[in-house]
Amino acid sequence: MLKYTDEHEWLRLEGDVATVGITDHAAEQLGDLVFVELPKVGATLTKGAAAAVVESVKAASDVYAPVDGEVTEVNEAAVANPESVGTDPQGAGWLYRVRLGDPSQLDGLMDEAAYRAFVG
């Protein structure tokens, strides 16, 4: 299941763990990414709070947690190679994985068709 937020994050649910990243739309808006800061494994995230930072030659942007939960894994390859977040945001450029604290929060997120309509 793939879901999207209005803050331009995506998450892919596998069991009770979601992989999170920024959307291709966000990556295009940011331009060339030069720095990525990820949460620590074991950190507890709160929906809507800043969880990570992506910085481009244009600006630094917070990546907000789409759901409550505990970080189970981070993509160290994205830290070492920030441009992967921009060139393959929904593949090699994923940011972190989080174990859902409240699965009902997924109900408030958009599916792909709704997100595509949202960004026009």
Side-chain angles (χ1 to χ4, degrees):
M1 175 191 329
L2 196 58
K3 294 285 193 173
Y4 296 86
T5 73
D6 58 3
E7 296 289 341
H8 308 289
E9 290 97 18
W10 60 267
L11 67 134
R12 182 181 314 113
L13 188 65
E14 297 168 47
D16 64 346
V17 175
T19 302
V20 177
I22 64 171
T23 65
D24 54 353
H25 175 79
E28 284 178 29
Q29 296 298 310
L30 288 166
D32 295 332
L33 295 177
V34 295
F35 177 77
V36 173
E37 181 180 319
L38 300 176
K40 296 194 181 311
V41 172
T44 301
L45 303 180
T46 301
K47 181 180 178 179
V53 175
V54 291
E55 185 174 331
S56 72
V57 294
K58 295 179 182 175
S61 297
D62 287 332
V63 178
Y64 300 101
V67 291
D68 293 347
E70 179 183 343
V71 177
T72 61
E73 186 178 352
V74 296
N75 186 0
E76 294 292 349
V79 175
N81 184 17
E83 57 271 14
S84 69
V85 177
T87 58
D88 191 12
Q90 290 188 228
W94 63 277
L95 298 177
Y96 61 90
R97 292 190 168 113
V98 60
R99 185 173 315 282
L100 300 180
D102 180 1
S104 71
Q105 291 177 334
L106 296 172
D107 297 340
L109 302 178
M110 293 180 270
D111 63 15
E112 185 166 1
Y115 180 73
R116 296 293 169 215
F118 175 71
V119 296

